[in-house]
Amino acid sequence: MSRQCRGGPNGTEPGAMRQRGNGTGPAAEGCGAVSVVFPLTMMITGIVGNALAMLLVSRSYRAKGSRRKRSFLLCIGSLAITDLLGQLLTSPIVISVYLADRTWEAVDPSGHLCSFFGFSMTVFGLCPLFIASAMAVERTLAIRAPHWYASHMKTRVTKTVLLGIWLAVFAFALLPVAGLGQYTLQWPGTWCFISTGDSQLTGSLCFASTFTILGLLSLVVTLACNLATIEALVSRCRTKATASHSSKQWGRIATETLIQLLGIMCVLSACWSPLLITMLKMIFSHTSFEHCKGFLGEAQGSELHKECNFFLTAVRLASLNQILDPWVYLLLRKILLQKFCQAANAVSKCSNNEWKERSITLSEEIRRTTA
């Protein structure tokens, strides 16, 4: 890749773009072709994954015997719809900016598209985090308080909670329209998000701080509830350590759930912690990444170079969460868990007959849940 094609979040260097104006030269066209691959690939992958998840959830929700898990299926479906809408509303804008090979001001002279993009980033950033927290709370109640869960946790309650999340986040994201907060163009000029560096505007600082605190709080709730669920499952496995077939089956299901919960915690932490912590750091230092616009003249190993690259990596990871959600929660669950159980079986040197029994039971469960 040429020197002109390095620097931006998807391979485009903002300084080089500005020097070429509308980018009619061959070098500009080359950079545009390279840079558009990343957002285009993310959009296609996200749409396919979330569409498959919605299809599976719809089939499972209508299946007989799914009444006990309908609350969880509603949460999974809502998460898939949220991530899918986020991809459909934001990715085409980024792709169009790269394909046009021009500054954001040329595509959006009025600035309204920037406000819409920032609003979408806020809504489809917080909603998945809150829905993940709601799912973690739901699982904890189902494991630690099964009798209360069975009598109180109806699908109507789940629908009310999900609708409340949507409305609350939607209202919060509209605050900049009322003057509390601001959505501004972010480096390298292909996306808009919450402003963090204007210390003169108290409203902008409060809005950015609230977004960061809400995001971190939802992460903490999700991690705490998943850890509480894991602890309860491990304790119950110890009390059910008998040789009966039912206890073996329960232990296998508990193991699968533990692996999935650990995967969810790792993905959420890896995707969102860098961006939220970076935003918190910028808020306290009253800085923003507007200084990245002078990035072209900086040395490759300079501190500014590293900060800008880390910020772009954090943004990419947060965007990647919309793609990983359906795979972590649903699509790859059975495949990966079966492989893990095979590896665990080999390590523990269990008998072949016992593994065949588990494999048959797992295959029957897979057919039953996907039917």
Side-chain angles (χ1 to χ4, degrees):
M1 189 184 298
S2 65
R3 172 69 181 91
Q4 286 83 1
C5 293
R6 292 196 286 261
N10 302 311
T12 299
E13 187 167 0
M17 285 176 59
R18 290 188 181 90
Q19 290 172 4
R20 295 187 189 96
N22 289 335
T24 55
E29 292 177 5
C31 283
V34 172
S35 65
V36 79
V37 171
F38 188 79
L40 186 60
T41 303
M42 290 187 67
M43 184 183 72
I44 294 174
T45 309
I47 290 174
V48 171
N50 285 294
L52 284 174
M54 290 169 59
L55 179 62
L56 290 177
V57 167
S58 177
R59 292 176 59 184
S60 299
Y61 191 84
R62 293 195 303 265
K64 293 181 180 180
S66 65
R67 183 167 300 180
R68 294 179 59 186
K69 55 182 180 181
R70 281 189 173 179
S71 293
F72 184 75
L73 290 174
L74 280 173
C75 291
I76 287 282
S78 299
L79 184 63
I81 292 174
T82 303
D83 289 335
L84 180 62
L85 287 175
Q87 289 284 334
L88 291 175
L89 291 178
T90 58
S91 294
I93 299 176
V94 177
I95 292 171
S96 64
V97 172
Y98 277 115
L99 287 178
D101 198 17
R102 62 188 68 178
T103 60
W104 185 285
E105 289 78 8
V107 178
D108 178 33
S110 65
H112 296 317
L113 188 61
C114 183
S115 299
F116 172 77
F117 194 95
F119 168 81
S120 299
M121 288 283 290
T122 303
V123 169
F124 299 109
L126 282 181
C127 273
L129 286 174
F130 285 173
I131 293 174
S133 296
M135 294 171 66
V137 172
E138 187 265 350
R139 280 189 298 266
T140 303
L141 291 175
I143 297 297
R144 299 188 73 95
H147 298 295
W148 185 93
Y149 179 88
S151 58
H152 293 85
M153 199 64 182
K154 311 297 182 182
T155 55
R156 177 172 52 84
V157 177
T158 306
K159 292 177 182 178
T160 302
V161 171
L162 292 172
L163 181 61
I165 290 174
W166 262 90
L167 293 177
V169 174
F170 191 87
F172 173 77
L174 284 175
L175 288 178
V177 179
L180 184 62
Q182 187 179 12
Y183 295 124
T184 57
L185 190 65
Q186 305 290 325
W187 183 76
T190 56
W191 64 296
C192 294
F193 196 47
I194 301 170
S195 174
T196 59
D198 198 342
S199 59
Q200 304 299 322
L201 297 176
T202 306
S204 296
L205 192 62
C206 289
F207 183 70
S209 301
T210 304
F211 174 88
T212 307
I213 291 172
L214 288 175
L216 289 173
L217 184 62
S218 66
L219 277 182
V220 170
V221 170
T222 303
L223 296 179
C225 288
N226 284 344
L227 287 175
T229 304
I230 289 173
E231 188 274 333
L233 287 172
V234 171
S235 299
R236 193 169 299 184
C237 280
R238 290 174 178 173
T239 59
K240 286 180 175 286
T242 62
S244 64
H245 175 76
S246 60
S247 65
K248 289 181 180 180
Q249 185 177 7
W250 195 96
R252 176 182 54 78
I253 296 174
T255 302
E256 294 175 356
T257 305
L258 289 176
I259 301 168
Q260 186 186 25
L261 292 177
L262 289 172
I264 290 170
M265 289 192 298
C266 291
V267 169
L268 274 178
S269 300
C271 287
W272 278 103
S273 296
L275 179 60
L276 293 173
I277 294 174
T278 301
M279 287 186 64
L280 199 63
K281 178 183 176 182
M282 288 191 295
I283 290 168
F284 281 117
S285 60
H286 301 291
T287 60
S288 69
F289 280 94
E290 286 293 312
H291 60 270
C292 288
K293 293 177 180 178
F295 172 38
L296 181 61
E298 292 289 330
Q300 191 75 7
S302 67
E303 192 67 26
L304 176 60
H305 186 283
K306 294 177 181 178
E307 288 181 3
C308 294
N309 275 341
F310 180 80
F311 176 61
L312 292 173
T313 302
V315 173
R316 285 178 176 178
L317 286 174
S319 301
L320 192 63
N321 185 241
Q322 292 180 329
I323 299 173
L324 294 178
D325 274 342
W327 299 95
V328 173
Y329 281 99
L330 191 64
L331 298 177
L332 287 181
R333 177 175 181 262
K334 300 177 181 65
I335 300 173
L336 293 180
L337 292 180
Q338 188 175 16
K339 295 299 181 184
F340 182 88
C341 288
Q342 290 174 349
N345 180 71
V347 172
S348 61
K349 298 180 180 179
C350 293
S351 66
N352 292 331
N353 291 334
E354 183 181 356
W355 169 240
K356 288 179 181 179
E357 179 184 356
R358 292 186 179 185
S359 299
I360 293 172
T361 306
L362 183 58
S363 299
E364 291 175 352
E365 183 182 347
I366 292 173
R367 287 195 298 268
R368 187 166 56 252
T369 55
T370 57

